[in-house]
């Protein structure tokens, strides 16, 4: 579980979701301090408005990637040879983090997504210097938030980030588009939103329970020559869903590479 002392420097949307997930999983957070300039209360952890004295066992960083160059110089002396640095910053590569925190015991990159707050998240994990003991500890702590996926390299880490880290936003757009289409056909916004979300949630739950593949699920819904098939023809067209998602992931990767280059400077 979490070591005796841990800090979460920059505990906003995403950091707060991780804390909520650990709370829900019953993880002991008594040794965790969130460092947050706003001083906003975060249930379950103590909050400091400035970096405290000392060096924690683990130091999570969860501020915006663009702030790394501003925050790291003041934080680095607190990340000593006994401190593991765990970063959720998109785009900041292990090598850049190592330069910013040269004394860290190990550098671990995490790419979580917001459903960690419900214990239903996906978190990509990468480290090139964590030993077996640390890997097992990280596995346990991150595994409490949902699926924990260790990546062999940062390229795989980026792919998981693209589909899981950002995935809730992409899925939100799909569900919203389904609702908008229903509203165009005359349903009220309230009913259309509720139905679109129930379709997404229900289908995901069913597929996970049965282990059914997505093509098999679609086939089971679409009667030959029926209404679903007519709709699927639009989604399956040459300029349909798959090429669209490929463009989405390519745009993610391009932006991630730009951010990685900026963090290297
Ligand atoms: N939102 C998401 O779904 C995901 C976000 N991430 C990563 O998480 C990080 C944070 O993103 P969000 O939580 O969405 O942003 P956010 O803006 O909600 O959180 C950033 C937090 O950093 C704090 N902060 C600002 N200056 C600070 C300072 N000098 N010292 C300490 N804390 C400071 C802010 O008060 C805020 O609470 C980013 O690096 C992003 O790449 C990663 C995966 C998913
Ligand atoms: O949009 C971002 O850059 C972060 C990384 C994944 C989700 N949010």
């Amino acid at each position: 579980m979490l070591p005796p002392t841990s800090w979460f420097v920059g505990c906003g949307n995403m950091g707060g979701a991780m804390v909520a997930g650990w709370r829900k999983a019953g993880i002991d957070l008594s040794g965790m301090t969130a460092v947050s300039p706003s001083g906003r209360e975060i249930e379950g952890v103590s909050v400091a408005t400035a970096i405290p004295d000392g060096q924690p066992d683990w130091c999570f960083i969860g501020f915006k990637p663009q702030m790394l160059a501003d925050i790291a110089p003041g934080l680095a002396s607190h990340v000593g040879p006994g401190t593991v640095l765990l970063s959720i910053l998109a785009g900041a590569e292990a090598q850049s983090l190592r330069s910013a925190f040269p004394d860290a015991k190990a550098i671990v990159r995490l790419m979580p997504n917001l459903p960690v707050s419900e214990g239903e998240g996906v978190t990509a994990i990468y480290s090139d210097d964590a030993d077996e003991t640390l890997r097992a500890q990280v596995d346990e702590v991150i595994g409490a938030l949902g699926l924990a996926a260790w990546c062999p390299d940062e390229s795989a880490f980026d792919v998981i980030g693209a589909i899981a880290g950002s995935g809730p936003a992409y899925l939100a757009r799909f569900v919203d588009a389904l609702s908008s289409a229903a509203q165009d056909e005359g349903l009220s916004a309230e009913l259309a939103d509720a139905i679109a979300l129930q379709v997404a949630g229900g289908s995901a739950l069913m597929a996970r329970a049965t282990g059914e593949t997505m093509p098999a699920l679609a086939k089971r819904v679409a009667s030959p020559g029926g209404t679903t098939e007519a709709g699927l023809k639009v989604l399956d067209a040459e300029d349909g869903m798959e090429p669209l998602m490929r463009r989405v992931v390519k745009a993610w990767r391009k932006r991630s590479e730009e951010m990685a280059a900026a963090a290297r400077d």
Side-chain angles (χ1 to χ4, degrees):
M1 280 300 127
L2 281 164
T5 57
S6 60
W7 294 355
F8 211 124
V9 182
C11 193
N13 240 321
M14 192 58 245
M18 292 172 81
V19 168
W22 286 322
R23 231 180 35 238
K24 202 174 168 121
I27 294 204
D28 179 8
L29 293 170
S30 57
M32 179 171 276
T33 302
V35 181
S36 182
S38 72
R40 186 180 55 87
E41 203 179 304
I42 301 168
E43 202 184 333
V45 297
S46 47
V47 175
T49 50
I51 296 169
D53 290 337
Q55 299 183 338
D57 298 308
W58 283 14
C59 181
F60 293 90
I61 54 171
F63 40 78
K64 293 290 187 196
Q66 292 81 356
M67 298 185 77
L68 180 62
D70 289 338
I71 296 178
L75 182 59
S77 62
H78 300 270
V79 178
T83 307
V84 177
L85 191 280
L86 302 104
S87 163
I88 65 168
L89 277 56
E93 294 165 318
Q95 198 55 50
S96 303
L97 294 165
R98 173 54 73 190
S99 304
F101 300 99
D103 298 334
K105 181 178 175 184
I107 303 279
V108 178
R109 287 190 72 189
L110 304 170
M111 185 53 58
N113 67 2
L114 284 177
V116 294
S117 63
E118 303 303 314
E120 291 287 350
V122 175
T123 307
I125 315 174
Y126 174 77
S127 177
D128 53 24
D129 51 15
D131 62 19
E132 282 310 310
T133 309
L134 177 58
R135 289 171 85 89
Q137 263 179 312
V138 169
D139 218 30
E140 198 182 0
V141 169
I142 300 301
L145 303 175
L147 188 78
W150 283 91
C151 302
D153 51 49
E154 285 180 296
S155 177
F157 182 88
D158 266 3
V159 176
I160 298 181
I163 59 163
S166 303
Y170 303 150
L171 196 63
R173 280 285 195 276
F174 179 82
V175 172
D176 225 12
L178 205 55
S179 170
S180 294
Q183 291 173 50
D184 282 354
E185 297 296 322
L187 282 197
S188 72
E190 199 186 353
L191 184 58
D193 282 351
I195 287 174
L197 184 60
Q198 179 75 5
V199 169
S203 306
L205 274 177
M206 178 182 74
R208 196 160 70 173
T210 59
E212 192 172 27
T213 65
M214 292 300 113
L217 192 158
K219 196 168 174 206
R220 203 152 62 85
V221 181
S223 313
T227 52
T228 310
E229 196 176 81
L232 283 178
K233 276 189 182 140
V234 178
L235 285 179
D236 295 345
E238 235 171 74
D239 58 350
M241 199 70 174
E242 276 198 28
L244 179 69
M245 287 320 295
R246 278 200 198 95
R247 289 212 311 278
V248 167
V249 171
K250 275 197 167 55
W252 197 103
R253 200 185 261 287
K254 181 170 175 287
R255 182 63 192 132
S256 171
E257 282 164 5
E258 287 166 1
M259 287 165 71
R264 264 179 239 131
D265 293 340

